[in-house]
Amino acid sequence: MEPVKYSVIIPMFNEQEVIAESYRRLTAVMSGMNETYELLFVNDGSRDGTMGVMRDIAEADEHVRILNFSRNFGHQAAVTAGMAHVRGEATIIIDADLQDPPECIPGMAEKWKEGYDVVYGKRLRRDGESAFKLLTAKWYYRFINKLTNNMIPTDTGDFRLIDRKVVDTMNALPEKNRFLRGLGSWVGFRQTAYEYKRDERWAGETKYPLKKMLKLAGDGIVGFSSAPLKWALGLGVGLLGLG
Ligand code: UDP
Ligand code: MG
């Protein structure tokens, strides 16, 4: 098999409205880089027409590969599965809804070529995101960074380019309920930020309802801090004393 320079992981849950446009823009960018590449679509148990569109695209373009989940396992699981299957020397993780502009990838790749192993997207501004989401995200990162000694850079998500050795290292970790942006910092290596303007979702609606957001937030805290365990212990001992 031909070696692959760049792999792109695109997790998708009910993204039938965006997939064709997402594919078009990714292909324009990746083919413009004049290197070998693959697009790895991960269908996270979509209940709409996503899988059908994926199949049509993959049939017509040998750059496209598909991972198809038996049910909805969640965004972090979809990206994790993608990481186990990518072949590239560098891997890009990007949302399907074009909030992370594919046009940033060449700039991220430049930093990788300069010698950085992790080039994480840092949001300069977020268009079209609710005041609620912006405020809760701000509070959350302040809180988790207090618990973890500033482990996670502010205003970063999962949009990033990571070197093969980082992919291999993260794949070797035993964590199940992953908080990838946290693990991505935790593993170390040479890291740098790539600033970008986060756009509005191109079409459709968020696939991260409050329930999923809370699970992600919980996994982030429990995965990176023993503080909740200590609080539980303290509470237990306190109640025992009271009893
Ligand atoms: N996603 C997924 N599984 C899920 C929820 C979301 O694969 O259970 C994907 C989704 O298709 C998108 C990315 O994760 O590519 C981010 O989701 P979304 O844009 O809905 O989140 P938001 O930007 O609103 O936080
Ligand atoms: Mg989005």
Side-chain angles (χ1 to χ4, degrees):
M1 231 182 280
E2 206 191 347
V4 177
K5 187 92 170 183
Y6 298 111
S7 295
V8 189
I9 300 173
I10 313 115
M12 299 194 198
F13 176 54
N14 295 342
E15 297 287 13
Q16 64 180 15
E17 296 97 341
V18 307
I19 174 167
E21 179 65 8
S22 192
Y23 165 71
R24 189 189 68 74
R25 270 177 61 187
L26 276 165
T27 299
V29 169
M30 297 315 295
S31 60
M33 289 170 79
N34 295 317
E35 297 278 6
T36 49
Y37 72 91
E38 62 179 0
L39 303 179
L40 184 53
F41 290 166
V42 186
N43 177 29
D44 182 14
S46 298
R47 291 182 276 268
D48 66 354
T50 298
M51 190 56 204
V53 185
M54 270 187 190
R55 276 215 186 89
D56 292 345
I57 292 174
E59 239 155 62
D61 183 349
E62 58 179 12
H63 292 102
V64 179
R65 294 200 294 144
I66 298 174
L67 283 181
N68 188 20
F69 279 9
S70 57
R71 65 165 171 90
N72 181 232
F73 283 87
H75 171 230
Q76 303 286 296
V79 175
T80 300
M83 286 173 65
H85 287 86
V86 286
R87 295 177 298 181
E89 289 172 38
T91 291
I92 296 106
I93 299 163
I94 193 166
D95 284 356
D97 62 356
L98 296 167
Q99 282 199 274
D100 309 326
E103 293 73 21
C104 293
I105 295 172
M108 291 174 147
E110 281 311 310
K111 296 214 170 201
W112 174 60
K113 287 180 194 156
E114 283 169 24
Y116 290 101
D117 302 309
V118 176
V119 185
Y120 56 86
K122 188 172 162 66
R123 301 147 174 173
L124 282 175
R125 215 178 66 210
R126 298 189 189 187
D127 279 348
E129 236 150 8
S130 68
F132 174 75
K133 183 140 188 174
L134 291 177
L135 193 67
T136 49
K138 190 169 148 198
W139 286 344
Y140 178 70
Y141 283 100
R142 205 174 275 175
F143 179 63
I144 195 167
N145 275 325
K146 229 179 203 128
L147 295 181
T148 60
N149 290 321
N150 299 319
M151 176 71 86
I152 298 158
T154 47
D155 294 323
T156 66
D158 292 314
F159 183 33
R160 59 189 57 217
L161 179 149
I162 54 183
D163 184 81
R164 180 79 245 166
K165 57 179 176 276
V166 181
V167 173
D168 290 340
T169 304
M170 290 177 73
N171 285 345
L173 298 173
E175 258 76 11
K176 286 226 158 48
N177 293 308
R178 290 176 172 236
F179 187 61
L180 288 167
R181 63 198 71 167
L183 288 179
S185 300
W186 180 84
V187 292
F189 297 102
R190 289 194 66 197
Q191 309 223 355
T192 190
Y194 180 91
E195 295 190 328
Y196 76 106
K197 183 180 141 303
R198 191 158 162 90
D199 289 331
E200 281 181 56
R201 172 178 262 282
W202 195 76
E205 268 160 23
T206 179
K207 306 304 177 303
Y208 254 103
L210 189 61
K211 199 172 145 212
K212 281 185 183 167
M213 230 158 79
L214 287 175
K215 179 181 183 307
L216 181 70
D219 287 344
I221 290 168
V222 171
F224 285 90
S225 166
S226 55
L229 248 167
K230 289 175 187 152
W231 297 336
L233 184 70
L235 189 70
V237 170
L239 286 176
L240 191 73
L242 212 71

